[in-house]
Amino acid sequence: MSTSGLMSIGVSALNAAYTQIQTAGNNIANANVAGYSRQNVQLATTPGQFTGGGFIGTGVAVQTVTRAHSSFLTTAAAATASLAAMDSTRSDQLTQLQQVFQLGQNGLGNTVNTFLNSFVDLASQPSDPATRQVVLSQASQLANQFNAAAGQIASLQTGVNSDLTTSVAAVNGLAQTIATLNAQIAAIQGTGQSPNTLLDQRDQAIQQLSSYVQVSTIAASDGSLGVFIGGGQSLVLGPNTTKLSAVPDAADSSRLSLAVGNGASQLALQPNALGGGSLAGLLNFQNNDLVQGRNLVGQLAASVAGAVNQQQTQGLSLNQPLGSVLGQPMFQTGAPLVLANANNKGSASIGVAVSDPAALQAADYTLSYDATGTYTLSRNGSPSSPISSFTSGPVVADGMTITLPATPPQPGDRFTIEPVGQAAAGMSMLLASPNDLAAASPLTATPAAANSGTATVASLTMNQAVPNAGASAKISFTNGSGAYNWTLTSSSGSTLSSGSGSWSAGQPIPTPPADINGFSLQLSGVPASGDVINVDPTPAANIATNNGNAQALAALRDAALVGHATVGGADTGSGGSTAANAYASAVATVGVKVQAATTAATMSASAASQAQQANSSVAGVNLDEEAAHLIQFQQSYQAAAKVLSVAQTVMNSLLQAVGAA
């Protein structure tokens, strides 16, 4: 009779219990290691030994050590983490952009209002040098404030470019790590045992990769994983990787875009195909939010500067000789920018100039050329909106004049037009002396002394530089209902033009678009039949005290000079906002974006946390559970040792019995 069978059972039981204790201890040791999956020992009964009395058990075998893992939960955790990273990144960037659009005394809106209000004081004291100097100081401060806002936006773009470059390097490093782990896992896969630690490391690398860009994975038969991004572009295939690059954007080289490929063969990734991750958040902010913020600031700068320049050049300065020197533009702003797409096949160039500052929109545009010889102009956005198609130029659209090249582009060529993108960055104050301010109107309106009605001159505003210098206009009312005749006479006494019209309370003389000599006259009271209003050149002796143009400049504060409505790209002359309302609208636009992004970040972070908790409930280590297992496995070990002890005792007894015999 042999005791080897009992010894074998005891040894197998001892080995199984020891392996279980070792595995539980390893779980406890790695409980706080990120990405570690709880491991379990898989045991199996060894085949029984046949005897005449039936099959007798031969013990237990350790088959393998597996990890607690759910592919579904691991994938869900990575996907939700990717969305959370995207939303968090965009929210953080928008919070920084919001600092450009401040309220209160330090805000750009307050600086614009203070500047425009300074013309009210100029209208009150047009000849006072100190008041004039205050206007120039406020103008300089306004230009500096716009420069500072543009600088903040440029710094954000620089930061985005830096973050994109750093993140791309991290993605490539993680891709190489996954490829290396793929090779190691595939090499071990042939043993039939699971390389748990390597699998955990690969899952952890994919989880980290998902925080940069959303990925999808496909398992191969050798145990490796293929990793794909951007709607199906391979990043890792087995032990091989494809490089992700941050390259200058084809439409605007000041921004970066993403491309995949090795060497000279690179394929551009569409930002909206990335799905999630911090890279998607950065690109969304760069291509949409930051562009809109820059254009909102630029539109305000170009519109305010354009309106002030237009009115300033319609008045008279105090420069000698008095009465003959028209005002010069007060501001210079950055010129519109035209960028040829890097993929263009032709070398044609497009010209763009601002023609109507009030009609400028806070938008970038794409001008494309097709095989039929047609140009299509579209406002960029989501989605892009075509506003005009044409085959020849120049073309006026949204406050800009587009000049087409003599030699047309190649079919498929595209151009990005940024009419206001550089306006704030390039803004500067041009006037050097208080005398340069054109506070005086070149024309003065005076009711005739013999008038019997109650009409007085409320204001005279120049709509343009005086078309007929030195000419005088006479407006004669033919009845008490506002009908009038007018005559424009040259300085030599010859009649230049004449006409008639009808005035009513609140309406200017003449009613637009009619013109007499470039002015718009507003009356208070009611004229009687036979009353006369004379509009004559302002005498040189009155230039210093005349405030006609200063009043027109002061009226810009309440004028709708930003973002006139357009039809087919053409200014309708209606709609628009005051400078104060335009800035308030810009603040609200950015504020709504920040609020929406913050809410999205909170919700996606909560979803990611829940997905991670669900994954941890399967793969995570529970220390209480492992402590209970240790006691259980310790008892198993002690019982197995007792089996060996009994087997040894039986063996000794048999040996003694055999010896005695």
Side-chain angles (χ1 to χ4, degrees):
M1 183 175 180
S2 173
T3 60
S4 60
L6 185 59
M7 291 286 289
S8 178
I9 291 173
V11 169
S12 67
L14 195 67
N15 180 59
Y18 179 80
T19 303
Q20 289 176 312
I21 292 173
Q22 186 178 24
T23 302
N26 189 57
N27 287 339
I28 292 171
N30 289 277
N32 296 316
V33 175
Y36 177 80
S37 298
R38 175 170 50 85
Q39 296 181 1
N40 299 297
V41 179
Q42 301 299 317
L43 303 178
T45 302
T46 57
Q49 182 180 5
F50 178 75
T51 68
F55 285 91
I56 299 176
T58 58
V60 65
V62 176
Q63 284 193 318
T64 188
V65 178
T66 61
R67 61 181 185 139
H69 175 73
S70 167
S71 296
F72 173 78
L73 293 178
T74 300
T75 300
T80 54
S82 185
L83 291 175
M86 177 183 69
D87 292 338
S88 176
T89 299
R90 180 168 178 257
S91 176
D92 291 343
Q93 294 291 332
L94 276 169
T95 300
Q96 296 182 59
L97 178 61
Q98 193 176 32
Q99 299 305 309
V100 178
F101 297 88
Q102 295 186 34
L103 297 173
Q105 293 185 348
N106 295 326
L108 182 58
N110 181 69
T111 304
V112 174
N113 288 336
T114 301
F115 165 68
L116 294 177
N117 282 332
S118 68
F119 289 121
V120 176
D121 295 333
L122 179 65
S124 299
Q125 304 179 82
S127 62
D128 181 36
T131 301
R132 287 173 167 264
Q133 185 59 55
V134 168
V135 174
L136 294 189
S137 297
Q138 293 297 338
S140 179
Q141 175 63 25
L142 178 65
N144 291 338
Q145 191 86 348
F146 272 113
N147 294 161
Q152 287 178 270
I153 291 173
S155 294
L156 286 174
Q157 180 63 65
T158 300
V160 168
N161 287 349
S162 177
D163 289 347
L164 283 170
T165 302
T166 302
S167 297
V168 164
V171 167
N172 288 328
L174 288 167
Q176 186 58 57
T177 297
I178 294 169
T180 301
L181 289 168
N182 272 345
Q184 294 173 348
I185 291 169
I188 297 174
Q189 191 78 0
T191 66
Q193 299 298 328
S194 175
N196 297 323
T197 300
L198 296 179
L199 292 172
D200 282 346
Q201 290 175 357
R202 188 174 66 182
D203 284 349
Q204 182 66 9
I206 291 174
Q207 180 83 9
Q208 293 173 354
L209 181 61
S210 296
S211 68
Y212 293 104
V213 59
Q214 191 173 58
V215 303
S216 58
T217 60
I218 298 177
S221 59
D222 62 354
S224 64
L225 276 182
V227 180
F228 302 87
I229 63 173
Q233 300 302 319
S234 65
L235 187 65
V236 180
L237 282 178
N240 302 313
T241 64
T242 303
K243 185 178 180 182
L244 181 68
S245 301
V247 298
D249 188 86
D252 185 349
S253 60
S254 68
R255 305 198 296 258
L256 293 179
S257 60
L258 299 181
V260 291
N262 294 319
S265 176
Q266 290 191 331
L267 178 67
L269 291 179
Q270 296 302 315
N272 56 5
L274 294 177
S278 60
L279 286 172
L282 286 170
L283 290 175
N284 188 357
F285 172 75
Q286 171 192 253
N287 297 336
N288 298 298
D289 306 319
L290 193 57
V291 169
Q292 184 178 27
R294 181 198 67 196
N295 285 338
L296 286 170
V297 172
Q299 180 194 34
L300 184 61
S303 298
V304 170
V308 171
N309 285 348
Q310 184 179 34
Q311 197 61 54
Q312 162 77 5
T313 56
Q314 292 169 10
L316 298 175
S317 72
L318 291 182
N319 292 316
Q320 298 296 328
L322 287 175
S324 62
V325 181
L326 291 171
Q328 298 300 306
M330 184 178 294
F331 294 108
Q332 174 179 288
T333 56
L337 191 63
V338 181
L339 303 168
N341 193 286
N343 298 321
N344 283 0
K345 297 177 181 179
S347 58
S349 60
I350 304 295
V352 175
V354 174
S355 55
D356 183 1
L360 290 171
Q361 304 297 309
D364 288 349
Y365 300 77
T366 296
L367 181 66
S368 58
Y369 184 76
D370 63 25
T372 67
T374 301
Y375 294 87
T376 300
L377 181 68
S378 303
R379 286 196 196 105
N380 294 350
S382 298
S384 174
S385 12
I387 60 173
S388 182
S389 294
F390 41 87
T391 56
S392 61
V395 176
V396 176
D398 283 8
M400 54 184 173
T401 298
I402 302 172
T403 305
L404 304 179
T407 302
Q410 293 295 312
D413 284 359
R414 300 161 65 86
F415 303 85
T416 298
I417 300 175
E418 301 177 0
V420 298
Q422 304 302 313
M427 189 171 182
S428 61
M429 206 274 288
L430 300 176
L431 304 184
S433 166
N435 287 344
D436 293 334
L437 284 171
S441 172
L443 301 176
T444 300
T446 308
N451 286 356
S452 60
T454 60
T456 59
V457 175
S459 66
L460 183 145
T461 302
M462 299 306 302
N463 299 320
Q464 55 182 306
V466 177
N468 295 281
S472 297
K474 181 178 181 180
I475 301 167
S476 304
F477 290 91
T478 58
N479 60 35
S481 300
Y484 63 85
N485 294 322
W486 62 269
T487 303
L488 184 64
T489 306
S490 70
S491 57
S492 62
S494 61
T495 299
L496 299 174
S497 57
S498 62
S500 62
S502 180
W503 171 88
S504 60
Q507 295 297 315
I509 297 176
T511 302
D515 178 60
I516 298 177
N517 199 19
F519 63 82
S520 178
L521 178 65
Q522 291 282 357
L523 300 180
S524 294
V526 179
S529 178
D531 284 0
V532 173
I533 305 291
N534 295 305
V535 181
D536 303 306
T538 301
N542 296 343
I543 295 296
T545 57
N546 185 282
N547 67 353
N549 207 49
Q551 287 182 331
L553 286 165
L556 294 178
R557 179 191 62 185
D558 302 317
L561 50 86
V562 183
H564 280 186
T566 60
V567 174
D571 188 357
T572 64
S574 62
S577 303
T578 65
N581 288 342
Y583 183 73
S585 177
V587 171
T589 296
V590 176
V592 168
K593 282 178 172 283
V594 171
Q595 185 177 19
T598 301
T599 301
T602 300
M603 294 175 63
S604 58
S606 176
S609 177
Q610 292 176 8
Q612 186 59 46
Q613 289 175 6
N615 190 40
S616 296
S617 68
V618 173
V621 176
N622 185 315
L623 291 176
D624 292 337
E625 183 180 2
E626 296 303 321
H629 285 164
L630 275 179
I631 296 174
Q632 175 188 349
F633 300 151
Q634 180 188 19
Q635 292 174 346
S636 296
Y637 188 89
Q638 291 171 343
K642 188 65 175 177
V643 170
L644 287 175
S645 176
V646 169
Q648 182 65 42
T649 300
V650 171
M651 176 67 74
N652 290 337
S653 298
L654 287 174
L655 290 174
Q656 290 174 3
V658 172

